[in-house]
Amino acid sequence: MSAPHDSTEHVPDISVVVIVYNDERRLPAAVRSVLGQTLRNVEVVIADDHSTDGSFEVARRLEAGSDRVRAIRLPENSGGCGEPRNRGVAVARGRYVMFLDSDDTLEPNACRNMLEAAEGTGADLVSGLCLRVHVDSRWGTTSKWYPWLYRRTRTLESVAELPDLLVFDTLSTNKCYRREWLVDSGLAFPRGIHYEDLLFSARAYLAASRITLIPNTVYHWNVVRKTGARSISNRRHEINNFADRLEIHRRIDRVLAAGGHDELKLHKDRKFLKHDLVLYLRELPFLDDGYRRRFAEMADGYLREFPQEAYAGLSPVHRLCAYLLLREDWEHLLPAVDTLINKGKVSSPLAERDGRVYWCEEHLDDPLGRAVLDVTGLGYHDRPLSRLFLRNVLTGYAESPGGVTLSGAVVNPLGAVRPDARLEAELEFTARRRSLRSFRFPVRAVRHAGPSVVWEATVPLARRLRPVGVLDDVWDVRMHLTVDGERTTSRLTVGGTDIERAGAVRVRPLLSRLAADRLEPRATSHGHLAFHLAQHGALSRGASGLLRHNLQSPPARFTKKALRTALALRKELGSGHRKVEAYHRMIRLLPVRRGTVVFESHLGRRYGDSPRAVHEELRRRNIPVRAVWSYAGASPTGFPKDAELVRRWSWRYIRELARAEFWIDNQGFPLRLTKRPETTYIQTWHGSALKRMGFDTPEARVLPEPERRAYQRAVDRFDHFVVRGRHDELTLARAYRIPEEKLLRTGYPRNDALVRTRESGAPDPAAEELAERLGLRRDLPVVLYAPTFRTREGGRVADFSFPFDVEEFADRFGDDLTLLVRTHYLNGVTLPPSVAGRVVDVSGEPDVTPVLLLSDVLVTDYSSVMFDYALLQRPMVFFTYDWDDYVHHGRGTYFDLSAEAPGPVVHTAEELFEALSDLDRLEGHKARLKEFMIRYGEYDQGDAAARIVDRFFGAGGEAR
C-alpha cells in the first residue's frame, strides 16, 4: 500500500484524502476547507471514483491551482467509498491521514487540533466531534454526533475502556490516523460492499495502542433531507442493502471473537438491535410481502446467534419487535413498529391475562413470548383516554369530486372506549410551518367496532382548504376523537394503504395556481399521512418555476430574510436569556407590589409541602395577601381556586417574581434571578439530610470556580432557611453555607399536621378523605413504601423499578394489609392490574402529608421522609438493598443509617416480607423511635406555619 518516499521530499503533517464521485459542484468547497486550515502543512489528495460528470476535471483544476493538491482517478468505479480512500492512503505523503467526503467540510482548526492531540499523547488515532449540518434547513439547524463521547479530552489505552466509542461513533471521517500505523497494521477499507466505515472503524479502534478523544468540532457532515435520491447507505428498501449491513456486522463479529472481546460484542449486539435493525423495521409497513419474507429470513439467520444478554438492555418495545420478527408475525409486528418509531403510541388492542397486560393474545403459550410480550410496565392500562396516543390506521383513501374520502380504525386498547360511549370526531389539517392556518372538518361516521373505533369522512379540500402556496407546502393531518366528552388526538398511520398511487386533489392557493394546483398524499418519516403542495402539467410547472424563481430574486430574498430575522428575534425575545435580562431591568425600574407572595413547591410540579402549609395558614387567618403559585407543565392540577397561577418561566412568572414582596418555596427559584433587597425570600426546604447535599457532594467539589461562585450567589439569596433541628444546622446549613442569623428554627410547616395528630390521637380529616377517595379498606393496616430516587452513570435519574416482586407481595399480604406506593417526584410507577385494590399508587397525590397520616407503617430506604414520619411515632422498616453501592458510589451519607435506624434494617425482599409478616413486632422499637424523633426533629412542635405567619405577616392586616 505504501509508496516510496524521497528522503529530500517535503513531508506534510497531515494528508487529507478527499473522495468524490459525480459531485463537481461541491468538491471545491471541500478542498477549500482543507487549504484554509490554520495548520498550513497539510496536503489534499483528491481520489475520484471514476466520475461520469466533470468531477475529475474540477479536481485537476484544483491541483493546478495549488502545489498542496494532488488528484488521482480510479480506472473504474468501485461503487463505494472504501476503495478511493485506500488509493488515497497509498499515495499520501503526510505523517497522519484524515478522510473527507466531497459534500462535507472540515472545521478550520480541525487539523491543528487533531495533530496537537496526536503529538501530545502519542495516539495512533485521534477522534473529534462531528457536527451534522442540515444545509436545507431555513434556520441553520445543526446536531452533534454522539456528543457525550466528546465532553472532555481523554486518552484511552484500549477501546474496551469506552465501549460506546466502538458501538456508536463508527465514522471514519472525524478521525486522524498515524499513517505508518495504518500501513503497518494492514488497515484498509473493505472493497465491493457498503457500510465500509463500520468495519474499518472497528478494526482501527481495536488495533490502536492509544486513542485520544477531543471535545473540539472537527468535521461538518452536510445533510440534505429534502432530496429525491437516497444515498447508497439510506436505500434500506433494497434487500441487498440489508445483506451488506449483516455481512459487515458478521465480519466485525469475527474480528471481536478473534480478539476475545466478548463484552464489546455484547455492546455491539445491543446497538444492532436498538439502532441498525430499527432502521429497516421502520420501512417494513411500506414494502411488499416478498421483501418482508426475505428480510425476516436474513434477520433470523443473524439474530439467532445473539446471546439472551443482548436483549436485556432493550426497551420492551424493542424486545417485542425482535421477537415478533423472528416469529414472522406481521399482523402484530407492524403495529409494534409503529410504536417503536412513535414513542408512547398504543398500537395494539392489548390483552389482559392473570392481571398482566400483553401486546397480543398470541404466543402466550411460549414462555419466552409471554415474557417478551408483557407490556404491563408501559402503563397503558393505567392512563386516562386523554393521555393515550392511539394508533389510527388509514384503511381507505379515495378521491372524490370535492376532495378525498378517508376511512380509518382507531385502536381501542383494553376496551378503553366503551361500546355505549358517545363518539364525536373531526379531522384537522395544519400547515407544518408554525403560525400558519389550520382547517377542521367533521367526521360524519364514527362507531364502535370491537377492538377498534372505525370512522369515515369526506373532506372537501378543494372547496374549503385554501393554502397560501409555496410558504405552506406541507400539511399534516390529525383526528380529534371525543369519547363522552374526553378527547384524544391521533395521527393517521398510512399502513398498508397505497396512497402513492392515489391521485392528487385540486386546490386553489391564495397565491394563485401559479404557486401550486394540487395536494398530493405522502407518508412522513414516522409513517403518518401528510399532504404536499405540487404542480401538475408542463405549463403550470413552468409558471410555478417562474414564481419560485421570482421568490429567489433579490427583493424576495430580502423580504424572506427580514421575515426570518423577525421570527428569530421573536424566538430570541422569548428565550431564557432574554427573560433573565428583562427580569433584572424590572427589579431596577418597577416597584415592589406589597402583599404579593410567590409560592412554589418542587419547581412548580405540585401544590404541596411547606409552602402549601404556609399558604393555608394565611387563608385560615384571612390575611389579605395576594398569593401567586407557579406551576410547571401544560395544565395545572390540584391548586386552590383562589390562588393566581403562573406558568414557571413564563413572562408573567418573571414579572411576578420581580415585583413580589415575598418568595416562599421549598427547593429554589431559578438560579439566575437575583433577588431584590426589598423581597424577602423564605426557603422552607424539603427534607432533612441523610445523603450529602450542596457543597458537600462530590460533584460540587469539582465544580469550576466560576460555577461554584454562581451556585453560592444563588444560595445567598435566601433571607431565611427553615430547619427542623440541630442536625439540619450541622448538615444542610453548613452544606449550603447559610449563616446562623438566617436560620428559622421553627420546624417544617408541612409537619404541623403530623405533630398535632400524634398529640391528639384523633383521625386527620385530610387523611380520611384520601382513604375514601382511594377506596381503601379501613379495617386493614396501611403500609407505605416511599423510596428515594436513584441515578445512573452521568447523573441522570434512573427509572423506578420495584426491588421486590410487587405481585408476590400482593399475593402474600393482600388479605392482611394495603400497600401504598409513593415514588420520588422525579420518578413514576406503573402497577399491574393483578394488584388492584391491594397495592395503590399514591405518587400523584400533590401533598405527602395526608399519605403519611393515613399510613400505619413506613417502608423506605434513604428518603428524607423517614425524618418526617418519625414525628408520628409509628413503625418504620428500612429496605437498604443497595446500601454499599448507594453509599460508596453515590453522594455518601452524613451518618450510618444501619446504626441509627429506629426500626429493622433489611437487605433482601424476603427479609422485608418477614419484617412485615408480624406488624406487632415492629412496636418494639418505640424507644429508638422517640430518640430518633428528638434528635432529628426537635424544632417540629406543630406550630411552624403559625410562627412563620406571625413573624412575617402578623395576625392580620397587611403583610410586613
Side-chain angles (χ1 to χ4, degrees), residues 260-440:
H261 300 293
D262 294 343
E263 191 63 28
L264 286 175
K265 183 180 183 303
L266 182 60
H267 283 276
K268 186 203 73 70
D269 289 347
R270 284 179 180 156
K271 191 255 188 177
F272 182 89
L273 292 168
K274 293 170 69 172
H275 174 72
D276 300 65
L277 184 63
V278 173
L279 294 175
Y280 295 88
L281 288 176
R282 66 188 306 151
E283 301 280 343
L284 289 183
F286 308 101
L287 299 170
D288 58 38
D289 290 341
Y291 178 97
R292 292 175 188 170
R293 283 193 298 271
R294 181 71 180 124
F295 175 80
E297 178 185 342
M298 295 169 64
D300 181 86
Y302 185 56
L303 298 183
R304 293 284 179 192
E305 303 169 5
F306 281 25
Q308 284 302 309
E309 294 89 339
Y311 294 88
L314 303 183
S315 72
V317 180
H318 278 95
R319 283 198 300 272
L320 70 90
C321 281
Y323 177 84
L324 293 170
L325 173 63
L326 295 180
R327 297 297 294 258
E328 294 193 48
D329 184 348
W330 305 110
E331 178 186 356
H332 299 105
L333 171 60
L334 297 182
V337 170
D338 197 3
T339 294
L340 188 65
I341 61 179
N342 294 284
K343 187 176 180 181
K345 180 184 281 192
V346 187
S347 301
S348 169
L350 307 177
E352 184 179 335
R353 295 289 182 274
D354 304 320
R356 306 293 297 180
V357 177
Y358 298 93
W359 186 255
C360 57
E361 294 179 324
E362 288 73 11
H363 316 299
L364 298 185
D365 55 341
D366 173 16
L368 176 61
R370 196 174 186 88
V372 169
L373 298 173
D374 188 335
V375 293
T376 310
L378 296 178
Y380 297 145
H381 62 282
D382 206 28
R383 297 181 202 165
L385 188 66
S386 58
R387 290 181 52 213
L388 290 175
F389 177 22
L390 301 177
R391 173 177 165 92
N392 187 353
V393 65
L394 194 66
T395 56
Y397 181 100
E399 292 180 78
S400 60
V404 293
T405 297
L406 306 172
S407 60
V410 182
V411 70
N412 184 15
L414 300 175
V417 181
R418 301 186 314 277
D420 59 346
R422 186 179 73 258
L423 304 178
E424 298 174 351
E426 64 178 358
L427 291 172
E428 181 181 35
F429 286 65
T430 307
R432 187 169 294 176
R433 290 183 180 174
R434 293 179 181 178
S435 78
L436 296 177
R437 299 171 302 161
S438 64
F439 297 85
R440 297 194 176 202

Side-chain angles (χ1 to χ4, degrees), residues 11 14 52 145 293 305 328 394 435 492 508 530 542 596 616 634 641 665 687 698 757 823 865 889:
V11 178
I14 297 178
T52 58
W145 185 253
R293 283 193 298 271
E305 303 169 5
E328 294 193 48
L394 194 66
S435 78
L492 306 189
R508 191 157 49 93
T596 294
E616 291 180 347
K641 294 181 180 179
D665 91 312
T757 297
T823 60
V865 73
H889 299 103

Side-chain angles (χ1 to χ4, degrees), residues 56-71:
F56 188 62
E57 287 72 22
V58 171
R60 294 295 296 272
R61 287 198 296 270
L62 291 168
E63 181 182 42
S66 173
D67 60 0
R68 292 196 288 151
V69 178
R70 287 184 295 148

Side-chain angles (χ1 to χ4, degrees), residues 150-288:
Y150 298 97
R151 289 191 178 125
R152 59 184 174 85
T153 299
R154 53 181 159 178
T155 297
L156 312 172
E157 301 301 322
S158 166
V159 74
E161 297 176 29
L162 187 62
D164 279 358
L165 185 62
L166 177 139
V167 169
F168 290 102
D169 189 1
T170 56
L171 299 178
S172 65
T173 48
N174 60 333
K175 297 172 177 62
C176 180
Y177 312 86
R178 191 161 56 86
R179 184 180 181 278
E180 184 180 5
W181 165 74
L182 273 183
V183 174
D184 291 347
S185 302
L187 289 171
F189 289 88
R191 300 170 176 83
I193 190 169
H194 303 312
Y195 304 108
E196 62 286 324
D197 267 19
L198 274 67
L199 179 58
F200 179 84
S201 295
R203 293 184 61 208
Y205 284 139
L206 293 168
S209 59
R210 185 169 293 169
I211 302 167
T212 294
L213 309 181
I214 60 175
N216 312 79
T217 298
V218 298
Y219 196 87
H220 291 164
W221 179 0
N222 295 325
V223 180
V224 181
R225 288 179 173 174
K226 302 172 185 177
T227 178
R230 299 188 184 188
S231 66
I232 293 173
S233 61
N234 283 327
R235 295 172 190 167
R236 290 184 280 272
H237 59 290
E238 298 175 2
I239 197 64
N240 287 339
N241 183 285
F242 186 54
D244 277 1
R245 189 180 288 264
L246 290 184
E247 175 57 26
I248 285 290
H249 274 274
R250 284 193 169 98
R251 294 186 190 184
I252 295 173
D253 292 344
R254 289 195 289 270
V255 173
L256 292 171
H261 300 293
D262 294 343
E263 191 63 28
L264 286 175
K265 183 180 183 303
L266 182 60
H267 283 276
K268 186 203 73 70
D269 289 347
R270 284 179 180 156
K271 191 255 188 177
F272 182 89
L273 292 168
K274 293 170 69 172
H275 174 72
D276 300 65
L277 184 63
V278 173
L279 294 175
Y280 295 88
L281 288 176
R282 66 188 306 151
E283 301 280 343
L284 289 183
F286 308 101
L287 299 170
D288 58 38

Side-chain angles (χ1 to χ4, degrees), residues 47-51 72-78 83-84 87:
D48 177 72
D49 198 12
H50 206 86
S51 297
I72 62 173
R73 190 183 197 213
L74 272 67
E76 59 183 10
N77 179 251
S78 69
E83 188 58 17
R87 298 293 182 92

Side-chain angles (χ1 to χ4, degrees), residues 640-880:
K641 294 181 180 179
D642 61 337
E644 295 186 39
L645 303 184
V646 294
R647 186 170 183 175
R648 202 170 196 269
W649 270 114
S650 66
W651 276 110
R652 189 179 164 208
Y653 175 78
I654 295 297
R655 193 165 57 249
E656 294 291 357
L657 283 176
R659 302 194 62 188
E661 184 179 5
F662 290 92
W663 291 0
I664 299 178
D665 91 312
N666 70 345
Q667 195 156 343
F669 287 107
L671 301 182
R672 290 182 290 167
L673 303 183
T674 304
K675 184 188 70 66
R676 67 192 303 164
E678 305 96 319
T679 298
T680 299
Y681 189 169
I682 304 172
Q683 174 55 254
T684 66
W685 205 240
H686 52 276
S688 297
L690 168 64
K691 49 186 176 283
R692 295 189 177 274
M693 306 290 287
F695 289 101
D696 290 345
T697 63
E699 297 84 0
R701 290 175 188 151
V702 298
L703 279 176
E705 188 56 33
E707 293 183 35
R708 289 171 65 87
R709 288 197 297 267
Y711 191 22
Q712 186 64 62
R713 283 195 301 271
V715 172
D716 288 344
R717 298 176 304 171
F718 302 160
D719 294 300
H720 304 280
F721 187 85
V722 176
V723 291
R724 305 180 58 233
R726 182 65 177 158
H727 173 73
D728 285 1
E729 296 178 27
L730 296 175
T731 56
L732 290 172
R734 289 185 180 179
Y736 290 105
R737 300 173 180 173
I738 297 169
E740 177 87 7
E741 63 271 15
K742 289 188 177 184
L743 300 182
L744 276 180
R745 297 176 173 87
T746 60
Y748 284 166
R750 74 183 187 192
N751 289 342
D752 290 346
L754 303 180
V755 176
R756 289 196 298 266
T757 297
R758 184 194 72 220
E759 293 178 345
S760 69
D764 181 83
E768 293 304 305
E769 184 276 329
L770 176 62
E772 183 177 351
R773 178 156 50 83
L774 296 176
L776 301 187
R777 287 181 55 182
R778 300 305 284 136
D779 60 325
L780 295 181
V782 175
V783 175
L784 170 65
Y785 177 50
T788 190
F789 68 95
R790 304 298 194 274
T791 56
R792 294 181 290 182
E793 187 177 352
R796 291 174 293 175
V797 176
D799 294 335
F800 172 78
S801 60
F802 279 101
F804 57 89
D805 189 326
V806 70
E807 290 178 292
E808 181 183 349
F809 185 100
D811 291 341
R812 188 162 172 175
F813 296 105
D815 295 332
D816 302 317
L817 57 84
T818 302
L819 180 67
L820 304 183
V821 179
R822 184 177 180 87
T823 60
H824 191 276
Y825 67 84
L826 295 176
N827 287 136
V829 64
T830 297
L831 297 174
S834 59
V835 302
R838 298 175 292 174
V839 182
V840 181
D841 177 23
V842 292
S843 303
E845 292 298 319
D847 196 7
V848 71
T849 301
V851 178
L852 298 180
L853 290 166
L854 184 58
S855 306
D856 299 294
V857 178
L858 171 69
V859 177
T860 188
D861 44 20
Y862 321 107
S863 172
S864 64
V865 73
M866 70 175 78
F867 301 106
D868 304 310
Y869 195 75
L871 296 171
L872 289 169
Q873 290 293 279
R874 297 175 186 173
M876 287 189 276
V877 179
F878 297 85
F879 186 22
T880 58

